Every structure is written in structure tokens, then in C-alpha cells.
Amino acid sequence: MEYFKEHIWQILIGLNYVLALSAVITILFKKINPTKTLSYIIVLLVFPFVGLIVYYLFGQEYRKSKIFNRKHVLNQSVVKQIQDELELDTKTIESVDELLEEKSKLIRLLYNSEKSKLTVKNEIELIKDGDDKMELLFKDLNNAKHHIHIEYFIIKDDTIGSRFLDILCKKAEEGVKVRMVIDDVGSAISSKMKRSLKKSGVVLHKFMPVLFSRFTGKMNYRDHRKIAIIDGKIGYVGGINISDNYVNSNNTRYWRDTHVRIVGEAVRQLQILFFTTWDFVNDGDLNISKEYFPENNCKDDVALQIAASGPDTDWSNIMESIFVAITNAEEYIHITTPYFIPNDEIVTALQVAARSNIEVKLIVPKKSDSWIAEYATNSYLEKLLEAGVEVYQYTKGFVHAKTIVVDDVFSTVGTANMDYRSFNINFEVNALVYNKPFANQLNQIFNSDLEHTTQLELSTWKKRSKRTKLIEALARLAAPLL
């Protein structure tokens, strides 16, 4: 015992490195991204104890493991019937191919996915800020007759959040079935509000609750989606969460964001995606009826896919769709993202596109809501500028929109940032839209945003101080971990 007391720090350090080496071997066998692998190895070996904490909180991989096996929903007869109804005939496929030309590779890439069928009978409304979204969403929620399904990364019971939750309570008391899934890390709802929700009949589940007894590994794999479905007829998806931060009338800092309201066949795909999440958080106790998939009377012809990705998908569907869109561009690529911490494939694709005389424009925030994300983003910009990418920093406030437009044909609006977490770790959802009027509308907003940006010049950008460049390099190294 005396020996143990005298040598406790040596023993603890030795134990730390035994566990660290075990973790390093595990990481090497996983064959994950080399940058991420190196980042974890450095943290584990250079920072005793802290490295182990970081690894066990953020580093464990669960993709395709049993906890994310959510095939029960997809195997139900009602869902299979809906999927069959969404199968396109040869004539329709040929007409879409003709519209998209080479962009049809995107459809073919995702079409084999059980949750990414192409739909053509849709109406889509572009929403450019939180105030407009809340006005539309609250109106639709108040008109709900049968059910409301909510799946959000952030819901807070602040001013705007309380209005939202009060509507849900009112509708549940009227007999509307209200189901909610909130991410346990992102959301913050008071105990008092939770009691009101429960008393009203709202069924609420947390996505992967983070408790000390179950803490390890669960800071990863967050539900970053923002989905609202009303009566199986109307769907919302995009970057705007339910909180005062996202509504400019209640916010001290201007917040630029993008969302879409969908009516039509694509809502069925959102519904199926929600049910897979609900099945997971509700321990598989779910039977789906046809009432959740009402007949679609939409007359508009907007081709649209719902692309989902996460640890429960075999492939990184959203990242791959972005990669294919970039590599098939012929005229221009316009990207807006709050966090630009991409993988090597996306960086190379953008560089090649710009060097091929394709117009590539990127809007990122000048001042981020995360200092580490800001410095990590900045670490990628010099190489893009050297390749001819036009980089613009948004100065009016914070730009949180996650949008891409390619060649007046392809657009995407969703929850996925252009970073490691969205591509590989979190549960995300994007609407992939193949429609020229919608692309033009999104481009108009993009050009309007450019009026509130500062364009970076390569010669000036290179003159950043060595201290700044060092911080950027460290942030870039840490970004895959956090």
C-alpha cells in the first residue's frame, strides 16, 4: 500500500498509456480517415487522461452496429406499399433524365437507397429566415387534423420555442396525435414544460440521452435533423431550429438561414424517415397505418429526393450526392455553409472544378458561432483561393444556411454542414431538388447574400500572421475530434 501511495502517478500514467495504446490499435484497425486517425493518436499519446476522455466521448464508431439497426420500419407492409407506389415508370424516368442530362447520375446514385426514392409530384416553397418559417409552420400546426411529427436537433422553451410547444399542447388536447423526438445534447426544455407536454398528451422522446451512466460515445451520433410533418401532407426540412437564436425578431444578432416547405410525394419519404427514428427511440414499439400516408393531390411537377445519412446508412449519402453534383458541374457551383471543414474528396472536387473554368463561389461566415470551427474553416480557404475558387465571408450577421446550387438544375437545402460530423457522424437529412425555377430562386438569394459579404483576395489572405495560421492548423487538426 505504501508503495502504491508513493508511485500513484507513475501507476496512473502507465495505466493511461496501456488504455491509450489499446485505443490506438482499435483506431488503426477501423481504417478511418487518415487525418482523423492521426488526430486521435496524437491526442491519446500526447495528452494523458484528457486524450482518453476525448476518445471515449467522441471517438467510438457505431456505424451499422446493432443500436442503429432500424430496419423494422422499412420491413412493414404499409411502408413497402408506399415505396412501391413511388416507383417511377420508364416514361417518367426518361423525362427526368432529359431535364437533368448528366445530373441524373445523382438520382441513380441514391435511387438504390430504401429511403431516397425520386418523387416528381411536389410543391416546394423556399424560406429564407426563421421569422418566415415560424409564421408558416405555426399556421400549418394550428390547422393539423390527424397528426404532427417533430424531429429536431434544437428545441428550447424560450420565447419562440414556448409558442411552438404551446401549440403542440393545444393540438394534442384537441385529439391530434403529436410525436416529438429531440436531441438530448442540442435541445433544452424545462421540467415544467415537459410536464405540460405530457399532461396534454404529447409523446416526447429524447434521442440517445446523455447520462453519466451511459455517457461514453454518445456525444457523437447526434440527431441533427430538423423535420416537421403535418398530417402526412406537409413537410418542413432545413437549417432552422426552434429557438430565439433563429428568429431575428427575438435575436440580437442577424441570423441568415434557409428552410423549405414541401407538399407532395416527398413528404412520404420524410414520414418514413421520421418513423425509423421513432422506432429507434421507442424501442421498436411501432405499427404504421395507411392513415399516415394520405393520398397526394399535388399538381406541380418538382422532382425531389429526400437524402438521409447517418450511422444507420451503409453509405455517406449526402456527402456522395454533393460530390457527384460538384464533379458533374459544367457552368457554376454556388455553396453556402456555416462550417466548411470538408474531407479531401470534396476539397479536390472543388479545386478541379475551379481549375476547369467552372465558376465556384463559396459563402462562409466571417464570424462563426464557434471559434474552433471558424479557425478550422479558415485553414482550408487558401488552397481553394489558389485553385480559383471565389470565397466570400458573410458580414451582416451569422449565415447558417446549408445550400448548394449547380448549373440551374440541381439544388440542395437541408441540415448537413460541409464538415466531418455531418458527412460521417450525425444523423442528417437534405432535400435534393431537380428544378430550374427553384434553382433560380435559390440563386437569387445567394446573389443577395453576396451583397453582404467581403470577397477574399489570395494575396491579402496569405499575409495572415504566423500565430493565426498556427491556430488554424491546430483547429483543423482538432476539428475531426469535435
Side-chain angles (χ1 to χ4, degrees):
M1 180 62 70
E2 193 66 30
Y3 177 85
F4 179 80
K5 289 181 179 179
E6 291 179 2
H7 298 85
I8 184 168
W9 281 111
Q10 293 93 323
I11 293 171
L12 289 176
I13 290 291
L15 179 60
N16 168 82
Y17 279 110
V18 169
L19 294 174
L21 287 172
S22 175
V24 167
I25 292 171
T26 301
I27 292 169
L28 291 172
F29 274 116
K30 288 176 182 176
K31 299 178 181 179
I32 58 178
N33 179 282
T35 302
K36 189 174 182 179
T37 298
L38 182 60
S39 299
Y40 276 121
I41 290 175
I42 291 173
V43 169
L44 283 165
L45 298 184
V46 176
F47 300 101
F49 310 117
V50 174
L52 285 175
I53 293 171
V54 170
Y55 173 70
Y56 283 106
L57 289 182
F58 300 102
Q60 299 186 77
E61 298 282 349
Y62 290 118
R63 181 177 290 276
K64 292 185 282 188
S65 70
K66 288 183 179 180
I67 66 169
F68 293 130
N69 182 14
R70 303 193 280 183
K71 299 299 183 185
H72 175 240
V73 167
L74 300 178
N75 289 335
Q76 292 199 41
S77 60
V78 171
V79 173
K80 286 184 174 181
Q81 180 183 347
I82 295 300
Q83 297 283 40
D84 290 341
E85 291 176 3
L86 292 176
E87 292 290 343
L88 301 179
D89 57 36
T90 303
K91 184 178 179 181
T92 304
I93 292 175
E94 289 176 351
S95 65
V96 174
D97 280 352
E98 184 179 348
L99 166 68
L100 298 179
E101 298 173 345
E102 285 300 309
K103 310 307 179 294
S104 63
K105 290 181 180 179
L106 275 166
I107 295 174
R108 300 182 191 283
L109 170 69
L110 291 173
Y111 198 74
N112 290 328
S113 171
E114 294 169 293
K115 292 178 280 189
S116 297
K117 301 296 185 183
L118 175 69
T119 62
V120 295
K121 289 294 181 181
N122 297 290
E123 300 172 13
I124 184 166
E125 182 174 356
L126 186 58
I127 306 168
K128 65 177 183 179
D129 62 47
D131 298 83
D132 289 346
K133 177 205 168 174
M134 297 308 169
E135 182 179 351
L136 286 168
L137 178 59
F138 289 177
K139 180 179 178 181
D140 287 332
L141 291 173
N142 278 314
N143 290 331
K145 304 299 182 186
H146 182 263
H147 68 272
I148 296 170
H149 289 162
I150 301 296
E151 180 180 348
Y152 267 75
F153 178 58
I154 295 176
I155 297 181
K156 297 182 179 179
D157 55 347
D158 48 21
T159 302
I160 199 70
S162 294
R163 286 181 59 194
F164 170 79
L165 295 169
D166 287 343
I167 292 173
L168 297 187
C169 289
K170 178 174 73 76
K171 298 309 294 187
E173 290 170 355
E174 292 174 3
V176 174
K177 184 67 176 179
V178 181
R179 296 183 174 97
M180 285 182 65
V181 179
I182 60 172
D183 186 83
D184 196 39
V185 172
S187 294
I189 300 177
S190 66
S191 298
K192 180 180 179 181
M193 178 59 78
K194 288 177 183 176
R195 288 194 295 270
S196 296
L197 291 167
K198 184 176 182 180
K199 182 179 179 181
S200 300
V202 176
V203 184
L204 170 66
H205 284 290
K206 296 179 180 179
F207 187 89
M208 292 185 70
V210 177
L211 302 174
F212 287 108
S213 61
R214 303 169 62 192
F215 199 55
T216 303
K218 292 192 177 181
M219 291 298 285
N220 276 338
Y221 313 108
R222 304 319 313 170
D223 189 350
H224 194 243
R225 294 167 180 164
K226 296 97 179 165
I227 298 173
I229 301 165
I230 297 94
D231 292 340
K233 298 177 181 179
I234 301 169
Y236 286 81
V237 67
I240 305 172
N241 286 292
I242 309 294
S243 167
D244 285 348
N245 286 342
Y246 298 82
V247 179
N248 288 313
S249 57
N250 294 355
N251 195 0
T252 56
R253 184 185 185 189
Y254 184 78
W255 192 282
R256 242 296 286 135
D257 219 324
T258 305
H259 223 78
V260 289
R261 178 183 184 269
I262 302 168
V263 176
E265 293 176 328
V267 179
R268 293 183 168 194
Q269 293 303 109
L270 281 176
Q271 188 80 289
I272 292 170
L273 186 60
F274 172 83
F275 275 133
T276 62
T277 302
W278 188 259
D279 190 54
F280 173 61
V281 298
N282 204 34
D283 297 325
D285 184 18
L286 176 66
N287 289 309
I288 302 172
S289 69
K290 195 70 180 291
E291 292 176 299
Y292 294 102
F293 300 92
E295 291 298 319
N296 171 47
N297 298 316
C298 181
K299 299 296 189 297
D300 284 9
D301 292 320
V302 176
L304 196 157
Q305 279 175 295
I306 298 299
S309 65
D312 62 334
T313 59
D314 292 330
W315 302 97
S316 300
N317 293 327
I318 294 175
M319 187 279 289
E320 290 177 354
S321 68
I322 292 171
F323 176 81
V324 173
I326 292 170
T327 56
N328 281 277
E330 296 177 351
E331 298 177 16
Y332 72 84
I333 302 162
H334 293 167
I335 300 171
T336 303
T337 181
Y339 315 111
F340 185 80
I341 313 171
N343 55 24
D344 292 340
E345 292 84 351
I346 296 296
V347 171
T348 301
L350 290 173
Q351 289 174 323
V352 170
R355 291 171 58 202
S356 301
N357 293 323
I358 294 169
E359 179 184 275
V360 183
K361 293 183 178 181
L362 170 67
I363 296 178
V364 295
K366 181 175 180 62
K367 184 65 177 177
S368 180
D369 63 342
S370 164
W371 72 267
I372 192 168
E374 180 180 326
Y375 279 104
T377 292
N378 290 345
S379 73
Y380 287 89
L381 302 184
E382 187 170 321
K383 290 296 184 182
L384 294 183
L385 291 168
E386 289 177 341
V389 175
E390 298 178 34
V391 180
Y392 300 84
Q393 291 184 322
Y394 190 79
T395 57
K396 185 177 179 180
F398 180 58
V399 60
H400 189 253
K402 309 133 193 321
T403 65
I404 301 175
V405 191
V406 176
D407 291 355
D408 291 336
V409 175
F410 168 79
S411 310
T412 178
V413 176
T415 68
N417 302 305
M418 294 193 73
D419 64 12
Y420 291 106
R421 299 194 69 82
S422 287
F423 286 165
N424 299 306
I425 297 174
N426 288 338
F427 291 83
E428 306 282 1
V429 57
N430 275 33
L432 310 182
V433 186
Y434 312 95
N435 181 264
K436 290 183 179 180
F438 183 81
N440 290 335
Q441 188 180 3
L442 199 56
N443 248 341
Q444 289 175 6
I445 294 177
F446 183 89
N447 290 328
S448 176
D449 287 337
L450 286 178
E451 297 176 5
H452 303 286
T453 64
T454 300
Q455 183 175 1
L456 299 185
E457 298 295 338
L458 177 59
S459 58
T460 305
W461 190 249
K462 280 186 172 181
K463 294 178 182 178
R464 300 181 328 283
S465 68
K466 289 184 178 179
R467 176 180 177 275
T468 298
K469 291 179 180 180
L470 177 60
I471 296 173
E472 289 173 0
L474 293 173
R476 181 169 177 162
L477 189 64
L481 311 183
L482 304 177

